[in-house]
Amino acid sequence: MSTAATPADDRAVVRALVSLKVRLLRNGLRRSPGRAAGYLAGSAFGALIALSVAAGLVALHGRTGAADAAAVLTAGLAVAWTAMPLFFFAGDESADPTRLTMLPLRPPALLRGTLFGSLVGPGPVLGLLVLAGAAAAGGRGAASAVVAVVAVPLTLVLLVTLTRSVAAANARLLSSRRGKDFAIFGGLLFAVLIQLGNLGVQSALRQPDRSFDLSVLHPYASVVRWIPPVSAIDAVRSAGEGAYLVAALQLALAVGLLAVLLRWWLRSLQDLMVSGDASTLVKTSSVHSGSGSRAWRLLPAGRAGTAAQRHLRYAWREPRAKAAVFTGIGMTCVIAALSVVQGWGSVYVIALGALMLGLQSGNLFGMDGSGFWMVAATLITRRDARDELRGRVFAVLLYGVAVLLLAGPVLAAVTGRWQELAPALGIAFAVLGTSVGLGCLSSVYAPYALPADGNPMRSAAPGQNGVVMLNAFGSMIGVSVGCAPIGITLGILLASHSPAWPVLPAGLLYGAGMLLLGIRIASGGLIKRLPEILARVIER
């Protein structure tokens, strides 16, 4: 009896993989009302953005430079789709082909099923809207309409294939801890570059009369229109201008790249299904001694130092903790840089950075996960709870204060407003101390579990997103109210043209007082609510 796969078997595999993608979407919405509401809200927001972009492109139809704008936008879309699997690989369960490599599937059938399944969901639909708008912007006449019928779906399939082939080629790297670290740093860098590119394009397009001149895009469009998948969309313009051979050549370039990417994707799937994972192979290497670094000796002695060391190790080794920490640091740097680039730079911007860094203490016990029961077993007295909180808070302050001390002088040097440095640091220290103190209270009275899959792109376990929102917004409101005295003091000094430097020691003492008050209140609640905190933190 022959066991060779038949075309009918391959078609059944393709149907199964497509239905699997549909069930993943449907069951994901059924897990919790909060997740379903978030997914629908995100999809609605994405649809609004896509429709706005598509409508703007259609409105450009007939204007000089409309086709150039469509080509540049399509190039940016291609870059974004290429980068998605590198930075958000863990956010899409269907993007990891290693989940299916142990099943008795043939690589060609797996490729076709994954490709058709990737076309299911809001992402491809929104991309299709934007691409249709780009084709409408550069099109002209019936010939453009005919070519657009082919070019728009071809570009969408090419973008999806590009994303999946990149994900398959880097699957094992991106599913490892180092790959997740790369995704965190790369995602932050990609977000910064996108924002800087946005500012550069706006400044280049904007004229003195606040109108936009699209002609500046022509040098860039003349290059990218020959690079697939942009070439397929630009073929619509070429056909409308009567250059049918050029349009055919541009479509052929897109088809050629699609064939190359499909071949690359197939080869990656074959390697994943027949070659071993290097991380599972036994390696003979020298074992380094586990002696502690001298840096740990700078930490407080006793339980507080142990808790601080544990928290710092989490912040460096655990992808979810690293994502939270470096997102706070990255957002501080981004806000500071944007304030300078956009012309409203001020040293007081570091107060927003202090808030972002202080919010990292809003769930101090969530990172422990199921291991928190070992910590909870040693929390007997209120002093134990106070030392545990002090250690974790010390770890947060260690990098929080360092970032503020570095960002403040840099902003003062760039903007030339050295007179704002002292009061800005005072406000920042007050905000940081108050937010960390409130974070201790949130960690005790509103704890939540982190996802068990280690996904750094998810902030909470299913069903606890409401607690996360309550935690974050409650902390922001509490910091705004709690730091009002320092803000009023600064306003009075500035209004009376008095020196504002006294805000620095005042803010430092105020922040320290709010921090100690938060630790004192939270330590009592930690002992009383320990069973409930334990149940919430280890919940999956």
Side-chain angles (χ1 to χ4, degrees), residues 452-463:
D453 57 2
N455 187 348
M457 302 303 172
R458 298 177 184 172
S459 58

Side-chain angles (χ1 to χ4, degrees), residues 375-410:
V375 177
T378 63
L379 296 175
I380 307 301
T381 64
R382 185 167 181 172
R383 181 177 180 178
D384 295 333
R386 186 165 56 248
D387 289 343
E388 183 70 24
L389 288 171
R390 283 177 177 173
R392 295 175 185 251
V393 163
F394 183 84
V396 175
L397 294 178
L398 198 61
Y399 56 80
V401 173
V403 171
L404 296 179
L405 291 178
L406 288 174
V410 170

Side-chain angles (χ1 to χ4, degrees), residues 28-51:
L29 296 177
R30 291 178 176 178
R31 295 179 67 175
S32 66
R35 181 168 182 174
Y39 184 85
L40 294 177
S43 300
F45 180 74
L48 179 63
I49 297 297
L51 287 173

